[in-house]
């Protein structure tokens, strides 16, 4: 891959982690945590390849309608991921 073929900006809509986990007979929170780990990998690859900007759309206004326990877990994951 040449430098000119590397995009300057990559945007990702993070969706489906809970459904991915449920399809594997796991809790939705398992999928959310797996999504955080995969996101870390994506960030590292973007940095290595020279992507200048990475946008992650991780939580929409509709997500506030999820069960309170799931929303709280997601907020804790965001804080943990940002600290790391």
């Amino acid at each position: 891959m040449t430098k000119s073929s590397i995009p300057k900006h990559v945007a990702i809509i993070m969706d489906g982690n809970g459904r991915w986990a449920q399809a594997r007979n796991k809790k939705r929170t398992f999928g959310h945590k797996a999504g955080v780990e995969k996101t870390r990998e994506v960030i590292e690859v973007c940095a290595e390849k020279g992507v200048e900007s990475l946008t992650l759309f991780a939580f929409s206004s509709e997500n506030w309608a999820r069960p309170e326990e799931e929303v709280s877990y997601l907020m804790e994951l965001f804080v943990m991921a940002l600290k790391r």
Side-chain angles (χ1 to χ4, degrees):
M1 191 175 265
T2 66
K3 183 164 175 72
S4 63
S5 66
I6 303 295
K8 289 184 178 184
H9 181 216
V10 173
I12 299 171
I13 298 172
M14 299 169 66
D15 186 38
N17 293 324
R19 289 185 300 276
W20 174 86
Q22 286 177 312
R24 287 155 180 77
N25 296 315
K26 305 277 186 185
K27 289 184 176 184
R28 291 178 59 82
T29 53
F30 178 85
H32 298 316
K33 187 168 187 219
V36 168
E37 297 306 318
K38 191 55 67 176
T39 299
R40 181 162 305 289
E41 292 175 30
V42 168
I43 292 168
E44 290 174 1
V45 168
C46 286
E48 289 169 8
K49 299 294 181 185
V51 173
E52 294 177 18
S53 299
L54 173 63
T55 300
L56 301 171
F57 185 74
F59 195 86
S60 71
S61 58
E62 290 86 6
N63 292 146
W64 289 112
R66 292 178 182 204
E68 185 177 335
E69 182 179 317
E70 185 174 2
V71 172
S72 293
Y73 183 80
L74 286 168
M75 293 301 123
E76 289 173 19
L77 272 179
F78 290 151
V79 170
M80 179 193 70
L82 289 170
K83 285 182 179 180
R84 283 191 3 199

